[in-house]
Amino acid sequence: MPQSNRVRTLVVVLGDQLNTDAAVFDAFDAAWDVVWMAEVPAESTHVWTHKARIALFLAAMRHYRDRQRVLGRRVVYRQLDDPGGAETLADALAASIKRLEPERLAMVEAGEWRVQQQIEQAAADAGLPLTVHTDRHFLSTVDEFNEHAEGRKQLRLEYFYRELRRKHGVLLTDDGQPEGGKWNYDADNRGSFGKAGPGGLPPPESYQPDQSTRDVLKLVAERFADHPGSLDHFDWPTKPSEAERALDDFIANRLPTFGEYQDAMWADEPFLYHSLISSSLNLKLLDPRRVIERAEGAYRRGDAPLASVEGFIRQVLGWREYVRGVYWRSMPGYLDRNALQATAPLPGFFWTGETDMHCLSQAIGQTLDHGYAHHIQRLMVTGLFPLLLGVDPRAVHEWYLAVYVDAVEWVELPNVVGMSQYGDGGVMASKPYCATGKYIQRMSNYCGGCRYNPAKAAGDDACPFTTLYWDFLARNKKRLSGNNRMSLQLKNVDRKPADELAAIRDRAAELKAQFA
């Protein structure tokens, strides 16, 4: 059927919805329906976004636009450098509605509450019906998570994860039991490298930018010159074919040792045994079913041990689905949760990496270079420090959303405000993830290149993590006293001599003043 000028359905596609088989296309009619996409400045400025994150989203969106046109779908696409552009998604959509006069709008549910509200408001302002389709990229729905959560006093990943394993038949024996007799092999996946280091790791896959990506890199470098981060190391998949190569590389070269060393850190080694596919999953360049199938296949073939495969699948099938459920069940109020009443500002060195704390210099430095740090660097280095310092969780959230290429709010916010900063008071984690500098010493070689001593809590050479750990426990003792999992740590505070606690308090006050 020839294309008509009339638009029946304007199909809104957001920058993290780059799968061509989404539910919104099930009834798509190329003669009457139009795909609508827009690059707008506000999506790069509502948090001070890393140049690499901006570039990845824009390059992936433009490649997706081109794939849509190859499929024979009409696409209305506004580029950031088009003249007369709108500032926000809502403004851009309103302008297109006025020009195209569609009969209705359709979309897949957004990955961010703020964006969902914008689209719904634009539809209401135009007096148009809006159909919001379930996002079947995920292996569970928001409704399914709410059913799981209803009536439970506490939410815990493990129980939801087991449900999904059973539902989808993942890593099960023929009689429906977990492979190896256990659901969870986390205890086997906490190894450190020791003095020898990680050894001969093959370099990750590399992705030569095509002309479309080069255009984006040039645009971002010019338009967002004052934004944090660098584009010098930009090397992320922007197309499904590239994402598939990243998955191939992980399965072949990193999955076998991922489990044992997934929590380990090493100076000047930003990637180690990690998959580097989180941005591809979150932009929907990769289907999680495909990822799970490939990982399980490696175990079935004997190419990777069960502990590694289960630990990886738990992140994709378990944690990713669980976090999304928590996000949509808890928004919009989750943004302002602050159970520990933390109010300090985020230290300025988080935007520069210029600090004499070697672990933070390493983790923030690679974040600014690549837009990436692995989960333990995020939880136990860049997340632990603001937790101990008492930084406002919302400020920490805005930094994480800004600087990581894989950050979409549905996954980032609960991980930061809930798990990392304990701002939700125990929804995401049963206790605060607090530790001294000795944890970082055990899991990395960072402390060997640092002027601070992780065993010391007071004095000029005391590790700030260790000082602030004891200060954190002392000042939050009343708030945490009802948490059985914190009882031993709180008792250790009580055992400290008064003069030692006073010295710790004084040193903590100096640090807080220094970083204010």
Side-chain angles (χ1 to χ4, degrees), residues 5 24 44 81 108 110 138 140-141 144 276 285 297 312 355 360 380 385 390 396 416 420 436 479 506:
N5 288 329
V24 76
S44 300
D81 47 349
V108 170
F138 295 94
S140 65
T141 68
E144 286 171 349
L276 308 183
L285 302 177
F312 175 70
T355 173
L360 281 164
M380 299 305 294
F385 190 78
V396 185
V416 174
S420 170
T436 70
R479 294 188 181 98
D506 290 345

Side-chain angles (χ1 to χ4, degrees), residues 131-177:
T131 302
V132 180
H133 293 266
T134 297
D135 193 344
R136 64 187 182 206
H137 165 85
F138 295 94
L139 286 88
S140 65
T141 68
V142 174
D143 287 344
E144 286 171 349
F145 182 84
N146 286 333
E147 288 176 14
H148 166 85
E150 197 64 36
R152 293 177 184 263
K153 291 182 179 179
Q154 282 190 321
L155 294 174
R156 290 293 171 258
L157 161 71
E158 184 66 25
Y159 304 117
F160 190 57
Y161 169 56
R162 292 180 187 184
E163 285 182 13
L164 292 182
R165 286 265 299 271
R166 292 188 182 102
K167 176 182 176 181
H168 295 282
V170 174
L171 286 179
L172 298 180
T173 61
D174 290 342
D175 59 353
Q177 297 304 305

Side-chain angles (χ1 to χ4, degrees), residues 49-283:
T49 304
H50 194 304
K51 295 183 187 75
R53 181 173 182 263
I54 301 170
L56 175 58
F57 272 74
L58 298 188
M61 287 170 67
R62 292 185 184 189
H63 287 123
Y64 180 85
R65 169 200 63 195
D66 297 342
R67 292 197 301 278
Q68 289 283 355
R69 287 173 174 163
V70 168
L71 292 171
R73 296 169 179 169
R74 284 191 289 168
V75 182
V76 171
Y77 190 100
R78 172 162 286 282
Q79 293 192 170
L80 200 62
D81 47 349
D82 287 344
E87 180 67 22
T88 69
L89 276 171
D91 292 341
L93 182 56
S96 292
I97 289 171
K98 185 176 181 180
R99 179 171 62 86
L100 298 170
E101 298 182 339
E103 296 176 12
R104 56 180 177 263
L105 304 179
M107 67 181 297
V108 170
E109 52 198 352
E112 185 170 344
W113 187 88
R114 174 187 62 89
V115 172
Q116 187 66 45
Q117 297 307 301
Q118 281 193 41
I119 304 301
E120 290 179 6
Q121 187 61 54
D125 290 346
L128 292 177
L130 169 66
T131 302
V132 180
H133 293 266
T134 297
D135 193 344
R136 64 187 182 206
H137 165 85
F138 295 94
L139 286 88
S140 65
T141 68
V142 174
D143 287 344
E144 286 171 349
F145 182 84
N146 286 333
E147 288 176 14
H148 166 85
E150 197 64 36
R152 293 177 184 263
K153 291 182 179 179
Q154 282 190 321
L155 294 174
R156 290 293 171 258
L157 161 71
E158 184 66 25
Y159 304 117
F160 190 57
Y161 169 56
R162 292 180 187 184
E163 285 182 13
L164 292 182
R165 286 265 299 271
R166 292 188 182 102
K167 176 182 176 181
H168 295 282
V170 174
L171 286 179
L172 298 180
T173 61
D174 290 342
D175 59 353
Q177 297 304 305
E179 282 289 341
K182 294 194 300 185
W183 289 102
N184 186 312
Y185 289 84
D186 189 48
D188 299 332
N189 292 339
R190 298 173 184 169
S192 60
F193 294 123
K195 293 181 180 179
L201 278 169
E205 276 289 298
S206 187
Y207 313 96
Q208 186 67 31
D210 60 12
Q211 186 60 52
S212 181
T213 299
R214 290 196 296 271
D215 290 344
V216 165
L217 294 172
K218 182 174 184 293
L219 170 66
V220 172
E222 293 172 352
R223 181 148 185 172
F224 301 101
D226 64 337
H227 278 233
S230 170
L231 291 172
D232 294 344
H233 307 280
F234 184 88
D235 200 6
W236 294 103
T238 61
K239 297 177 277 193
S241 59
E242 293 174 342
E244 189 71 24
R245 284 169 51 202
L247 177 60
D248 289 344
D249 173 62
F250 172 65
I251 298 295
N253 298 317
R254 288 169 170 74
L255 177 60
T257 41
F258 165 78
E260 183 177 1
Y261 296 122
Q262 64 176 291
D263 289 0
M265 301 173 281
W266 200 258
D268 302 319
E269 290 284 357
F271 306 126
L272 295 169
Y273 295 101
H274 292 268
S275 69
L276 308 183
I277 63 169
S278 55
S279 63
S280 296
L281 280 169
N282 293 351
L283 295 181

Side-chain angles (χ1 to χ4, degrees), residues 437-453:
K438 295 192 77 170
Y439 172 85
I440 296 170
Q441 183 183 43
R442 185 168 69 253
M443 298 306 299
S444 75
N445 69 338
Y446 292 156
C447 298
C450 189
R451 80 171 189 88
Y452 297 110
N453 183 345

